Amino acid sequence: NRMSLVFSGQGDALRLRQVFGSVQRFVPERRPFAFIAISAVGASVCEALSLIFITLVATGLAADKASTEVAGVTIARNTMLAAAAVLLLARLALMWVNVRISARLAAEGLASARRALLHALVSSDWQRQSRQPPGQLFDLLSSRADIVGMMIAIMSAMVVSGANLIILAGLSVALQPVAVLGLGVVGGILAWALRPFNRLTRKSSKDLMVASEAYLEDANDLTHNLRDLASFGSGPAFVAASDAHQVRATRAYRRTRMLTSILPQIYQTLGMALGVAGLAVAALVGTDDLAVLGAVVLLLLRAVSYGQQLLSSTQSVNERAPYVASLIELIDDLDAHRQTGGPEVPAAPAPLSLQQVGYRYEAGDGRALNAIDLELPEGQMLGIVGPSGGGKTTLLHVLAGLRHPTEGEMLVAGVPVGRVDLAWWRSKVALVPQAAGLMTGTVAANIDMLRGLDPEQLRRAAERAQMERDIENIGGFDTPLSRHAQALSGGQLQRLSIARALAGDPEILLLDEPTSALDVATEERLSEVLESLRGSVTMVIVAHRLSTVAACDRVLVLDKGRIIADGPPSDVLDQFGRTGVSGWELVEDPT
């Protein structure tokens, strides 16, 4: 009966095949699934035959018979008991094999889903990575990848339940064909009537997923802005704004839980009712073979139990299918934005040449960069200034190869950046962002960033970034740090980020407001480090202090994505004047 519910209608069957196919993506080998099916069928046959023998022995004892005739063959009571015991042991052995294979597949599916998502994420380009909300990504890497393992376990259980249902129902038909087939037709009609609940479960699960993702984004916003919300007293307003997502998630969760809980109960009740109806028919028509009737009733009751399990498993699959689909959709999207490089290794990472480069963010209406023509010779120190939102950081990202021009092209020593070997390019370029990020690990690990640098390189980089004394004060290079970095101040974080960039001995150094969190004395010492790199390292510095700009070989002014000035520092500052540059986030040095 339950099989007719699962596969009634081409749409339901197609959806289940799609779900099976999507999960099999993470465990592509088909042979283990075949072993699960074979062991399930074998265990089902053993259970069905053991139930028949047990029923025959029970009715024989009630009639005080030492043997019973089955299909024209007389079998002794002790033989049937021994056969039932052997069959039960065989069933246990087959189910042990089944469960072991299922557990292995579920574990492999979980690991494969996590690995596939991580690989797709780190292999995609920064343009795509930067669009992924951190809260949703954490959910995908943890709970949603776990669902793949759950789905494999559930589908294995479906195979076992389905095999038992078919075998038990088949033997019942063989023993009492007319009555059982009649009940099957009625059960099929009732099962068909329950089909809309499957669609409702899938819809409720999708609503729950969407609402939960919105709530996770609220939680992510809260964790990253808790201090500001507290300082402005905006916490209650945030909770009120988030309540809409929580209400929607609560309603979808309640509806999904209700459907997945009540449908198996409805099915079990209907199955029991059909059993009662079968007994009523037998009582009206009468029967001489009470042993066979008892066996059929017992088989049908067990079939009803397996049908309930199959229904519960199917409801669980419907509930989790949207989550697996969204995981696969994300992996495919990340794969479509995979970082691509070329086979060429230029003679040097500089000079860099931007030719009519434009860049447009996918979510933006206008261009962040517009018709940028820029020549950056080897060893030059270029300062970039301009108003907020003028395109300074975007230009740094293009120079670093993190963002690809949507118009024009960038050449590396005359070679288009798309044809440059990516690993070689990453080893030659270092970017110091505005906000430093940390991994959970030691100070040394946070400077190294999994590059395999030797301790002397790390120590020298910390010294050049004016960070060595601070590291000694917090316990040395082996001191553990967390992502929250409570042991470091903002200035220390910024200097650690600079040390990270310098540790790889880059030939192109890109710094996005590197001294914004530094005091004047530390900034002066860091300026000495940058001065020592002049001529040997090509540097591009987005600056916020006039002293940093004045020390550059050349200053470029960006406004609304366009270069509006480019020349020696004195010429640019004279052109715009001290008052004109105040709107570019430049500040006078204290006297």
Side-chain angles (χ1 to χ4, degrees):
N1 296 346
R2 178 54 201 148
M3 293 305 290
S4 64
L5 174 59
V6 175
F7 295 107
S8 56
Q10 184 178 2
D12 283 349
L14 178 61
R15 276 187 287 269
L16 280 174
R17 284 198 297 271
Q18 290 173 340
V19 172
F20 272 85
S22 64
V23 171
Q24 197 174 17
R25 167 175 174 160
F26 300 106
V27 187
E29 190 179 356
R30 293 179 178 269
R31 187 177 301 176
F33 290 99
F35 287 152
I36 288 177
I38 292 170
S39 61
V41 170
S44 301
V45 171
C46 291
E47 179 178 5
L49 292 176
S50 65
L51 288 174
I52 292 174
F53 285 134
I54 290 170
T55 305
L56 294 176
V57 169
T59 55
L61 287 172
D64 196 22
K65 294 181 179 180
S67 61
T68 302
E69 185 176 333
V70 181
V73 179
T74 301
I75 306 176
R77 180 195 306 161
N78 291 339
T79 302
M80 288 189 290
L81 285 173
V86 171
L87 287 168
L88 289 174
L89 288 174
R91 178 186 180 276
L92 181 61
L94 287 169
M95 287 307 300
W96 181 85
V97 172
N98 186 287
V99 169
R100 183 180 180 187
I101 297 174
S102 173
R104 178 173 65 83
L105 285 177
E108 289 177 358
L110 167 61
S112 178
R114 289 177 173 175
R115 192 181 301 113
L117 179 56
L118 279 173
H119 184 268
L121 179 65
V122 300
S123 299
S124 63
D125 58 41
W126 169 246
Q127 294 179 136
R128 178 60 186 85
Q129 292 175 4
S130 62
R131 299 203 314 266
Q132 193 63 41
Q136 186 188 81
L137 183 60
F138 180 80
D139 174 57
L140 288 163
L141 286 169
S142 54
S143 60
R144 199 158 305 181
D146 293 352
I147 288 177
V148 173
M150 295 180 194
M151 287 281 275
I152 293 175
I154 292 170
M155 289 176 176
S156 300
M158 288 178 68
V159 172
V160 174
S161 301
N164 276 283
L165 180 59
I166 293 172
I167 298 297
L168 293 172
L171 285 175
S172 300
V173 170
L175 294 172
Q176 288 282 351
V178 177
V180 174
L181 287 175
L183 293 176
V185 171
V186 177
I189 294 173
L190 293 174
W192 182 85
L194 293 176
R195 287 179 64 244
F197 289 102
N198 279 337
R199 291 191 292 270
L200 187 57
T201 299
R202 284 191 291 268
K203 182 180 182 303
S204 297
S205 297
K206 188 172 183 179
D207 290 343
L208 176 60
M209 180 188 71
V210 173
S212 297
E213 286 179 350
Y215 182 70
L216 281 172
E217 271 308 296
D218 289 341
N220 186 57
D221 289 342
L222 179 64
T223 56
H224 284 81
N225 298 281
L226 197 57
R227 179 192 59 194
D228 293 340
L229 289 170
S231 65
F232 292 118
S234 304
F238 181 91
V239 172
S242 177
D243 271 347
H245 296 146
Q246 181 61 16
V247 167
R248 183 181 176 187
T250 302
R251 288 175 178 170
Y253 182 82
R254 182 179 66 242
R255 188 164 57 247
T256 303
R257 290 290 93 209
M258 184 185 71
L259 287 169
T260 53
S261 299
I262 196 61
L263 278 181
Q265 304 304 320
I266 294 174
Y267 176 79
Q268 186 179 36
T269 302
L270 291 175
M272 298 293 290
L274 289 174
V276 172
L279 288 175
V281 171
L284 288 175
V285 244
T287 179
D288 295 330
D289 197 345
L290 294 178
V292 172
L293 178 61
V296 169
V297 171
L298 184 58
L299 290 175
L300 286 177
L301 289 176
R302 288 296 294 155
V304 167
S305 175
Y306 283 116
Q308 181 188 14
Q309 293 176 20
L310 187 56
L311 176 58
S312 297
S313 298
T314 305
Q315 290 296 105
S316 296
V317 167
N318 285 328
E319 182 182 353
R320 290 169 172 81
Y323 294 88
V324 177
S326 68
L327 178 65
I328 291 176
E329 182 180 355
L330 175 62
I331 291 173
D332 289 342
D333 184 52
L334 290 169
D335 283 336
H337 292 82
R338 187 178 295 272
Q339 297 181 85
T340 56
E344 297 191 38
V345 176
L352 297 178
S353 175
L354 275 61
Q355 300 177 353
Q356 289 293 296
V357 164
Y359 187 84
R360 185 192 300 270
Y361 287 95
E362 292 186 8
D365 296 330
R367 293 183 179 88
L369 296 176
N370 195 349
I372 298 293
D373 285 316
L374 176 64
E375 299 293 331
L376 185 61
E378 183 177 1
Q380 187 176 77
M381 181 187 290
L382 172 68
I384 301 179
V385 296
S388 178
K392 302 185 296 295
T393 298
T394 303
L395 179 56
L396 278 190
H397 286 174
V398 169
L399 291 171
L402 295 177
R403 299 191 184 277
H404 311 304
T406 53
E407 301 168 7
E409 67 175 348
M410 183 174 81
L411 304 177
V412 179
V415 179
V417 69
R419 290 178 11 211
V420 173
D421 180 84
L422 195 59
W424 175 85
W425 178 249
R426 292 282 183 259
S427 69
K428 300 298 181 182
V429 181
L431 172 68
V432 179
Q434 292 184 33
L438 291 179
M439 297 191 304
T440 300
T442 63
V443 174
N446 270 280
I447 297 176
D448 184 22
M449 288 297 285
L450 303 174
R451 289 175 289 181
L453 304 176
D454 62 62
E456 179 57 28
Q457 285 179 285
L458 305 182
R459 188 202 61 76
R460 187 171 65 250
E463 181 180 7
R464 295 166 76 186
Q466 306 295 316
M467 187 64 187
E468 190 175 31
R469 182 175 299 176
D470 298 88
I471 293 174
E472 292 175 357
N473 290 338
I474 63 173
F477 283 87
D478 292 329
T479 301
L481 297 175
S482 71
R483 184 171 55 87
H484 305 289
Q486 295 178 348
L488 301 180
S489 67
Q492 289 172 326
L493 279 171
Q494 198 163 31
R495 278 179 281 145
L496 189 142
S497 179
I498 295 170
R500 179 184 295 165
L502 295 175
D505 295 321
E507 296 185 38
I508 296 179
L509 183 60
L510 309 171
L511 303 103
D512 196 354
E513 300 193 11
T515 61
S516 59
L518 305 183
D519 57 67
V520 176
T522 304
E523 182 193 354
E524 289 178 352
R525 292 195 298 271
L526 182 60
S527 297
E528 294 175 1
V529 173
L530 297 180
E531 182 63 29
S532 69
L533 299 175
R534 185 192 294 272
S536 60
V537 176
T538 304
M539 288 179 281
V540 181
I541 307 171
V542 172
H544 78 294
R545 292 189 186 274
L546 289 174
S547 59
T548 306
V549 174
C552 292
D553 301 317
R554 172 181 164 204
V555 173
L556 181 150
V557 182
L558 272 180
D559 186 15
K560 298 179 182 178
R562 292 181 178 274
I563 298 176
I564 62 173
D566 183 2
S570 58
D571 292 351
V572 172
L573 294 177
D574 288 344
Q575 177 184 352
F576 288 91
R578 297 286 178 168
T579 57
V581 300
S582 61
W584 302 344
E585 298 178 341
L586 289 169
V587 297
E588 296 279 2
D589 295 314
T591 56

